[in-house]
């Protein structure tokens, strides 16, 4: 029924119904923020990523199809946006950081959007100690509820490789979090 | 607990909230962006239609003539239809303009159909619905009439003379799902998607006699199912949808959906029970009261047992208000009418909890054995199929829903 509901929402979204975009935003904003936070471990960057995902989604009226998994589509967009952010950060020298950027990860901006629980902050710090690919796999599996096959498509590797990354990621996460939660 | 399950629990408990002010600002921007994109898409699709028309040598001359006439009459050319071979796309386009629909669903060996009346807004969302379910379609509940509007569902159970009201998205969505199954727009869009994926083989026959319908036969390549749609040649709207299942003998008809009165406004009264229900109807309104028992820290099995036990203990104490609260919020006077003739004496056993034979109920079965006195006789009776589940749209609260 969730899929049916999402298909209805996409149909209405494509027809130009503003209520549909509002419902989609309300339904998925927290999930996407959480996903971004656990992958990127930077409060402000996570907000920027999710904000951009929703804006791009709002523009995608002509492209998006009413089939498939809306949450999966948005979660994939978050991952892609994070990769873009990393690529851009790698190209950009640190002296280009603007004055109003928060340099220290996690320092909140005055108009903060996401309100993180202590458990989420803890989880995010633990996840930051995983290699990027493992972190992505664990986050997409746990938070995005994605099948290994789908994650394999996103990371462009085999499903077996994804399962391996997941297993190692979970084991490492468990030992990091052991006793802290 | 396996490491992954432990981590799952950690993920589940790690929550995030949002600043409402920030939400409002972001939403405003999204709505504006969306509207802009919607306008651009409209302009683009008009331009594409223009390009397709102008690329055809056959239509160029005709087009020139039409433009000239249109200019004189002040008609927007791109709003005019262009003769073309039938394609599924046309029915989808036609369906987007449907505002009112009346549907009957027949099954073999039953005279009385299920019947639906549907009202939609300009975006194709269902805003009002009325559904008639005959006795054969719902043996446990009996014949019933359901109304749906804005996530509020009202059901009149004819046999029990009960008017039930609840706010429940899942029930409402289930109703919506039933309507969508009968909605030719949805059927046609699904066909289009399946055809594009290669899961459906579609053949189209268009008779030369315009009074005859176009017949679309859609055969599923991966499931034993076939659909036949009859499409009015003038309106491009589906008038009949037949569903077939495959058996050893070949394809057998499962159901026939007939669509009537496209866009003939439906009297608003049809979407209410105004003046329709008997005066002595029993009204159970879950939107105005707290129903059932709070689960708190109890497991699902524990709360189900507790609800069942407290229900019968309330009957023993002749506390019909409490018993009614635990039975979907049934009024106390009705509870007294039903259970008053029995003097409940004691609860002999409760449980064990079993899965409900009908998973669609989302409940469990809690067998309860009680002793009661009726007409001077002591009776020991087991309610084998006492059903317990979460209350619609009141999360964390459980109620008895059947088997009593």
């Amino acid at each position: 029924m969730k899929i049916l509901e999402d298909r209805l929402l996409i149909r209405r979204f494509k027809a130009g119904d503003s209520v549909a975009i509002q419902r989609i935003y309300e339904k998925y904003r927290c999930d996407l923020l959480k996903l971004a936070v656990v992958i990127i471990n930077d409060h402000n960057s996570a907000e920027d990523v999710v904000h951009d995902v929703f804006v791009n989604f709002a523009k995608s009226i002509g492209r998006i199809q009413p089939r498939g998994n809306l949450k999966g589509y948005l979660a994939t967009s978050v991952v892609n946006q994070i990769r873009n952010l990393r690529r851009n950060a790698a190209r950009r020298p640190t002296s280009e950081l603007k004055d109003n950027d928060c340099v220290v990860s996690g320092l909140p901006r005055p108009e903060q959007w996401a309100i993180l629980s202590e458990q989420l902050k803890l989880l995010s710090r633990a996840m930051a100690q995983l290699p990027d690919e493992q972190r992505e796999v664990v986050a997409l599996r746990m938070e995005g509820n994605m099948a290994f096959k789908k994650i394999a498509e996103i990371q462009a590797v085999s499903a077996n490789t994804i399962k391996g990354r997941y297993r190692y990621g979970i084991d490492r996460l468990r030992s990091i979090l052991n006793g802290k939660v | 607990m396996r490491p992954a399950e432990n981590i799952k629990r950690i993920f589940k408990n790690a929550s995030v909230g949002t600043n409402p002010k920030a939400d409002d600002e972001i939403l405003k921007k999204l709505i504006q962006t969306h509207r802009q994109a919607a306008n651009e898409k409209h302009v683009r699709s008009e331009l594409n239609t223009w390009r397709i028309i102008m690329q055809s040598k056959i239509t160029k001359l005709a087009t020139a003539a039409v433009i000239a006439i249109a200019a004189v009459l002040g008609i927007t050319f791109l709003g005019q239809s262009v003769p073309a071979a039938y394609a599924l796309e046309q029915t989808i386009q036609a369906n987007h303009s449907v505002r009112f629909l009346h549907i009957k669903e027949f099954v073999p060996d039953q005279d009385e159909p299920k019947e639906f009346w549907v009202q939609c807004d300009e975006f194709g969302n269902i805003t009002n619905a009325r559904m008639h379910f005959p006795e054969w379609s719902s043996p446990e509940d009996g014949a019933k009439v359901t109304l749906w509007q804005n996530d509020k569902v009202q059901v009149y159970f004819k046999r029990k003379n009960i008017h039930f009201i609840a706010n429940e998205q899942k029930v409402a969505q289930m109703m919506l799902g039933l309507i969508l199954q009968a909605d030719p727009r949805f059927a046609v869009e699904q066909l289009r998607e399946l055809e594009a994926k290669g899961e459906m083989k579609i053949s189209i026959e268009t008779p030369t006699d315009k009074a005859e319908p176009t017949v679309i036969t859609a055969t599923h390549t991966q499931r034993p199912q076939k659909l036949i749609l009859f499409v009015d040649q003038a309106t491009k709207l589906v008038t009949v949808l037949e569903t077939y299942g495959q058996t050893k003998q070949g394809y057998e008809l499962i159901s026939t959906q007939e669509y009537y009165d496209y866009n003939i406004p439906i009297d608003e009264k049809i979407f209410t029970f105004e003046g329709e229900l008997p005066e002595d109807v029993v009204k159970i309104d879950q939107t105005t009261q707290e129903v059932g028992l709070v689960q708190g820290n109890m497991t699902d099995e524990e709360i189900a047992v507790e609800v069942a036990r407290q229900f019968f203990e309330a009957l023993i104490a002749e506390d019909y208000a409490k018993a009614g609260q635990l039975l979907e919020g049934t009024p106390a006077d009705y509870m007294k009418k039903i259970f008053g003739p029995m003097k409940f004496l004691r609860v002999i056993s409760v449980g064990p909890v079993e899965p409900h034979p009908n998973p669609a109920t989302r409940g469990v079965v809690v067998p309860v054995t009680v002793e009661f006195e009726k007409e001077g006789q002591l009776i020991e009776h087991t309610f084998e199929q006492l059903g317990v589940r979460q209350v619609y749209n009141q999360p964390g609260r459980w109620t008895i829903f059947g088997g009593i």
Side-chain angles (χ1 to χ4, degrees):
Chain A
M1 197 53 71
K2 210 173 172 181
I3 293 177
L4 181 68
E5 184 189 49
D6 280 358
R7 283 175 64 152
L8 284 173
L9 280 174
I10 295 172
R11 227 175 92 179
R12 287 159 59 188
F13 166 80
K14 284 177 75 67
D17 184 359
S18 300
V19 172
I21 183 109
Q22 182 176 347
R23 287 261 167 94
I24 291 168
Y25 174 80
E26 285 165 358
K27 193 173 175 185
Y28 290 119
R29 74 194 187 291
C30 289
D31 291 342
L32 299 186
L33 279 169
K34 191 169 160 185
L35 178 67
V37 164
V38 297
I39 294 178
I40 210 170
N41 189 36
D42 182 316
H43 196 150
N44 299 328
S45 298
E47 286 188 352
D48 289 342
V49 159
V50 176
H51 174 272
D52 289 349
V53 161
F54 273 115
V55 168
N56 290 337
F57 178 75
K59 292 178 186 168
S60 73
I61 192 169
R63 294 193 309 272
I64 191 166
Q65 293 301 318
R67 62 184 87 98
N69 183 339
L70 180 54
K71 185 177 177 181
Y73 175 90
L74 292 169
T76 307
S77 302
V78 164
V79 168
N80 290 337
Q81 198 66 20
I82 289 172
R83 288 179 183 173
N84 289 342
L85 204 74
R86 282 195 193 124
R87 269 196 294 272
N88 293 340
R91 285 189 216 122
R92 195 177 62 204
T94 52
S95 60
E96 284 185 22
L97 282 173
K98 292 175 195 155
D99 287 341
N100 61 350
D101 275 351
C102 294
V103 176
V104 177
S105 163
L107 259 189
R109 292 188 281 223
E111 349 45 57
Q112 206 66 64
W113 176 22
I115 302 161
L116 276 49
S117 66
E118 287 308 313
Q119 292 101 320
L120 182 54
K121 288 178 190 169
L122 187 70
L123 176 63
S124 164
R125 284 197 288 271
M127 286 281 277
Q129 296 177 54
L130 266 52
D132 285 352
E133 297 92 356
Q134 284 181 19
R135 191 177 338 125
E136 224 176 67
V137 172
V138 170
L140 285 173
R141 183 79 176 160
M142 288 291 174
E143 213 27 64
N145 248 346
M146 255 188 219
F148 287 128
K149 194 175 162 197
K150 178 69 191 169
I151 302 173
E153 282 171 25
I154 294 170
Q155 290 201 347
V157 294
S158 72
N160 282 338
T161 304
I162 294 301
K163 284 175 190 170
R165 286 178 182 172
Y166 178 71
R167 207 169 35 246
Y168 284 124
I170 291 290
D171 284 346
R172 178 136 173 79
L173 199 58
R174 182 170 167 260
S175 65
I176 295 166
L177 287 169
N178 199 17
K180 288 186 184 171
V181 178
Chain B
M1 190 183 282
R2 293 195 304 243
E5 282 166 7
N6 200 11
I7 299 295
K8 237 184 239 179
R9 197 164 43 82
I10 292 167
F11 264 88
K12 192 180 170 193
N13 292 337
S15 60
V16 67
T18 52
N19 177 342
K21 230 174 130 186
D23 275 333
D24 283 343
E25 282 176 24
I26 293 168
L27 254 176
K28 263 192 212 126
K29 180 173 180 179
L30 290 182
I31 289 170
Q32 199 182 7
T33 308
H34 181 234
R35 277 202 188 124
Q36 214 171 331
N39 287 336
E40 283 166 15
K41 181 191 172 199
H42 174 73
V43 168
R44 259 202 316 274
S45 82
E46 296 268 300
L47 286 172
N48 280 340
T49 307
W50 177 261
R51 269 188 225 114
I52 289 164
I53 293 166
M54 291 314 293
Q55 272 163 14
S56 160
K57 286 178 192 168
I58 296 166
T59 58
K60 259 190 187 163
L61 276 172
T63 306
V66 171
I67 292 170
I69 296 165
V72 166
L73 297 176
I75 298 166
T76 308
F77 170 70
L78 288 173
Q80 300 295 322
S81 63
V82 175
Y86 180 83
L88 279 174
E89 180 68 33
Q90 292 180 313
T91 293
I92 291 169
Q93 290 299 329
N95 279 335
H96 277 306
S97 65
V98 171
R99 296 285 175 268
F100 297 96
L101 194 55
H102 177 199
I103 304 160
K104 289 185 187 179
E105 183 178 313
F106 293 89
V107 299
D109 302 327
Q110 298 290 346
D111 290 330
E112 197 183 350
K114 291 184 202 171
E115 204 164 354
F116 312 99
W117 290 261
V118 175
Q119 182 178 2
C120 306
D121 66 16
E122 68 208 88
F123 299 110
N125 304 312
I126 296 174
T127 53
N128 266 309
R130 179 184 178 108
M131 293 152 274
H132 281 201
F133 296 98
E135 188 85 26
W136 60 261
S137 71
S138 180
E140 276 180 17
D141 289 339
K144 58 190 176 188
V145 180
T146 302
L147 303 179
W148 180 86
Q149 185 187 63
N150 291 333
D151 288 344
K152 184 169 168 178
V153 68
Q154 298 186 60
V155 187
Y156 176 57
F157 297 93
K158 291 183 180 176
R159 195 201 293 160
K160 299 170 197 172
N161 194 27
I162 288 175
H163 176 202
F164 175 82
I165 306 166
N167 278 327
E168 219 280 339
Q169 287 207 336
K170 283 189 183 124
V171 167
Q173 283 171 8
M174 192 175 73
M175 294 300 163
L176 210 52
L178 281 174
I179 293 163
L180 283 172
Q181 277 171 33
D183 184 344
R185 297 174 293 169
F186 199 64
V188 171
E189 283 187 21
Q190 281 206 305
L191 284 181
R192 188 190 178 209
E193 284 172 27
L194 291 170
E195 186 191 33
K197 277 201 264 187
E199 290 178 28
M200 198 67 106
K201 269 175 71 176
I202 293 177
S203 70
I204 300 175
E205 297 164 38
T206 305
T208 46
D209 181 354
K210 298 290 178 209
E212 294 289 318
T214 296
V215 180
I216 303 171
T217 305
T219 310
H220 218 290
T221 57
Q222 290 167 23
R223 278 205 310 255
Q225 193 189 55
K226 183 168 74 169
L227 301 175
I228 300 180
L229 290 82
F230 298 85
V231 182
D232 183 280
Q233 286 203 52
T235 62
K236 304 289 182 282
L237 292 167
V238 178
T239 53
V240 176
L241 168 62
E242 292 178 346
T243 306
Y244 292 82
Q246 196 172 33
T247 64
K248 286 185 189 144
Q249 287 78 34
Y251 282 103
E252 267 183 23
L253 181 66
I254 295 173
S255 70
T256 304
Q257 283 151 1
E258 295 175 1
Y259 306 102
Y260 300 91
D261 310 327
Y262 276 100
N263 286 346
I264 295 183
I266 297 173
D267 188 344
E268 290 280 328
K269 268 191 158 182
I270 285 197
F271 301 115
T272 73
F273 281 137
E274 195 186 307
E276 202 176 320
L277 303 182
E279 274 184 23
D280 63 344
V281 68
V282 177
K283 188 171 173 181
I284 300 175
D285 189 346
Q286 294 194 344
T287 66
T288 56
Q289 58 174 317
E290 277 186 337
V291 172
L293 199 62
V294 175
Q295 184 169 2
N297 290 328
M298 286 184 266
T299 63
D300 288 359
E301 285 77 17
E302 285 168 351
I303 184 65
V305 164
E306 192 58 25
V307 168
R309 183 194 309 284
Q310 286 200 25
F311 174 75
F312 283 102
E313 283 173 355
L315 287 178
I316 290 167
E318 293 179 4
D319 185 348
Y320 297 112
K322 172 144 187 206
Q325 193 200 12
L326 297 175
L327 180 59
E328 301 273 32
T330 305
D333 53 357
Y334 187 69
M335 292 294 290
K336 187 173 178 183
K337 185 178 166 189
I338 301 297
F339 295 103
M342 295 172 263
K343 182 152 178 62
F344 286 85
L345 298 170
R346 63 188 179 112
V347 175
I348 297 169
S349 72
V350 181
V353 174
E354 295 156 11
H356 199 281
N358 181 359
T361 62
R362 294 178 281 142
V364 295
V365 166
V366 184
V368 177
T369 304
V370 296
E371 187 183 55
F372 61 87
E373 189 188 308
K374 190 176 179 186
E375 293 165 359
Q377 285 217 335
L378 267 182
I379 298 167
E380 190 177 295
H381 178 76
T382 301
F383 293 90
E384 305 265 8
Q385 294 292 312
L386 189 77
V388 185
R389 68 171 168 210
Q390 291 209 53
V391 181
Y392 292 137
N393 213 38
Q394 293 187 23
R397 301 187 74 94
W398 288 65
T399 177
I400 290 170
F401 70 92
I404 190 149

